Amino acid sequence: MSEPLMATYNRLPVTFDRGEGVRLWDTNGKRYLDALSGIAVCGLGHAHPAVRDALCEQAGRLIHTSNLYGVAEQERLGALLTEQAGMDRVFFANSGAEANEAAIKLARLHAHRRGIDNPAILVAENSFHGRTLATLSATGNRKVQAGFEPLVQGFVRVPYDDLDAIETAAANRPNIVAILIEPIQGEGGIRLPSDDYLVRLRELCDRSGWLLMLDEIQTGMGRTGRLFAFRHAGIRPDVVTLAKGLGNGMPIGACLARGAAAEVFSPGSHGSTFGGNPLACRVGRAVLETLIDENLTENAAVQGAYLLDALRAALGETRGVVDIRGRGLMVGIELDRPCGALVGQALDAGLLINVTAERVIRLLPPLIIDRAQVDELVGALTGLIQGFLGDA
């Protein structure tokens, strides 16, 4: 790999040249099945005509002016996105980390205006909210934080899916003003909370006067079989953050808010030079319209359920497989040992996967995947896992 680049990634020995649908081809012409989607980014797959046409049309018309002026595409995407999410307003950024930064700033400003001088946000262990200084401080993963101290103060950490711990924190910390939580922990190992977790969090936030802020960077945009994961619980958050699947590869993030939370920011309190530029927003609108028009959220639900059933049938009794879990096309296979070596073995076999939390194989295929491609994924992965567990 190229030495001019800073060594911030352990890159695999492959460079991709082109993609189409759920397939990628490397510079040597080898074909791969993409079961990762750029980590939940390319929900429409690669080279989708709607994304291509939106990019080309908008690039030939207008890429950037400034947020000093009106941005028509930003307003169009904002209207569609808030309508679909049941929210009131949106701030556009360039990434998920920036979207979460906006949410953190919003919660602090909201608290200060209520006379709370030292506000704290409740976050969860094993969470991941980004790599900027504030979002890595909110993240519940010591590996991400190590070496970057002093961290940003103002976060109270509790175990994920532990309502008693939150009640205890609420009793002891009167300065808590908000909860920032993932509906499903992605980087933490595809961890689903109890069915009533979000409902109970909503009740607790209403009772305590806290903002319920959901990080849907990975779970949003149809990934779990609903357009937003909070739909499964039948609740509405006060703030929700999006990125990854919103741009299908075009960098864009969004912080949506409703009610009083939507009125916190005023001119000068937050901003972004590139955030919400015409090109990113035109692509975001094309992605959202395609998700709706082609019913891809439903496809994620159907194919995801089939994928889970097929994996459980193939691997459920395999010694060394601890759990197979997920929702929609966000699936994890937990083994009883570290399994990072499987990523390279899968690459050799023409399959793109990821391992997170050391022992969890993470599958995030494009939302356009069909039944035959799911069968191909299960067949290839089953052989790899059984070989790995047998040889380890």
Side-chain angles (χ1 to χ4, degrees), residues 20-364:
E20 181 179 342
V22 301
R23 308 286 182 181
L24 283 165
W25 284 262
D26 68 18
T27 50
N28 295 316
K30 181 178 175 179
R31 191 178 77 156
Y32 300 80
L33 176 64
D34 186 359
L36 188 59
S37 306
I39 312 182
V41 168
C42 299
L44 305 189
H46 303 282
H48 194 286
V51 176
R52 177 200 61 205
D53 292 349
L55 270 170
C56 292
E57 189 276 332
Q58 190 61 45
R61 177 187 297 271
L62 183 68
I63 293 177
H64 178 78
T65 51
S66 168
N67 282 308
L68 292 173
Y69 313 106
V71 182
E73 282 300 337
Q74 189 177 126
E75 294 174 8
R76 293 187 183 105
L77 176 59
L80 183 58
L81 199 54
T82 54
E83 177 190 359
Q84 292 296 322
M87 307 298 277
D88 295 329
R89 291 187 171 182
V90 57
F91 171 82
F92 287 111
N94 305 290
S95 67
E98 288 182 63
N100 281 336
E101 284 271 354
I104 292 166
K105 288 182 66 176
L106 185 155
R108 287 191 170 194
L109 194 55
H110 179 61
H112 283 294
R113 288 178 180 170
R114 296 169 58 203
I116 301 172
D117 294 330
N118 186 28
I121 298 173
L122 196 146
V123 294
E125 295 175 358
N126 296 315
S127 61
F128 184 84
H129 298 296
R131 294 181 186 274
T132 62
L133 196 54
T135 57
L136 75 84
S137 298
T139 290
N141 183 336
R142 181 60 191 149
K143 286 184 178 178
V144 175
Q145 298 170 337
F148 296 106
E149 299 84 356
L151 301 177
V152 174
Q153 301 299 303
F155 297 102
V156 176
R157 189 158 291 106
V158 296
Y160 189 60
D161 195 23
D162 187 338
L163 290 162
D164 290 339
I166 296 176
E167 294 279 8
T168 300
N172 295 317
R173 299 290 298 265
N175 61 333
I176 293 174
V177 298
I179 294 176
L180 175 62
I181 210 93
E182 297 161 278
I184 299 173
Q185 289 191 330
E187 291 290 327
I190 313 295
R191 299 196 177 278
L192 285 75
S194 307
D195 289 343
D196 65 345
Y197 187 54
L198 293 186
V199 174
R200 298 280 300 277
L201 288 185
R202 178 70 273 174
E203 292 171 353
L204 196 154
C205 286
D206 289 341
R207 190 168 72 241
S208 305
W210 300 348
L211 298 179
L212 177 58
M213 307 198 299
L214 297 185
D215 177 341
E216 293 234 28
I217 305 299
Q218 194 163 142
T219 57
M221 303 306 293
R223 173 59 53 186
T224 68
R226 303 292 295 269
L227 195 54
F228 309 99
F230 67 78
R231 297 287 196 205
H232 292 286
I235 58 106
R236 277 200 302 164
D238 300 294
V239 177
V240 61
T241 54
L242 301 169
K244 290 186 179 293
L246 179 56
N248 211 70
M250 173 59 64
I252 183 171
C255 175
L256 296 91
R258 71 177 180 91
E263 308 301 324
V264 172
F265 284 151
S266 57
S269 56
H270 198 48
S272 170
T273 295
F274 300 112
N277 77 25
L279 187 64
C281 287
R282 178 67 188 89
V283 173
R285 183 161 63 90
V287 170
L288 184 53
E289 289 173 343
T290 303
L291 282 173
I292 296 168
D293 294 345
E294 298 187 3
N295 209 18
L296 294 178
T297 297
E298 175 65 16
N299 190 61
V302 171
Q303 301 303 341
Y306 179 75
L307 173 60
L308 270 175
D309 288 344
L311 287 170
R312 286 167 176 159
L315 292 165
E317 302 301 321
T318 301
R319 181 176 297 179
V321 175
V322 175
D323 192 21
I324 300 169
R325 55 181 177 261
R327 177 169 284 163
L329 288 170
M330 186 175 184
V331 172
I333 306 166
E334 183 174 354
L335 305 186
D336 65 354
R337 66 204 71 176
C339 57
L342 266 170
V343 175
Q345 293 176 19
L347 188 71
D348 291 341
L351 177 63
L352 302 185
I353 62 170
N354 174 248
V355 166
T356 189
E358 294 189 345
R359 304 189 310 173
V360 180
I361 301 160
R362 179 168 51 170
L363 303 177
L364 301 162

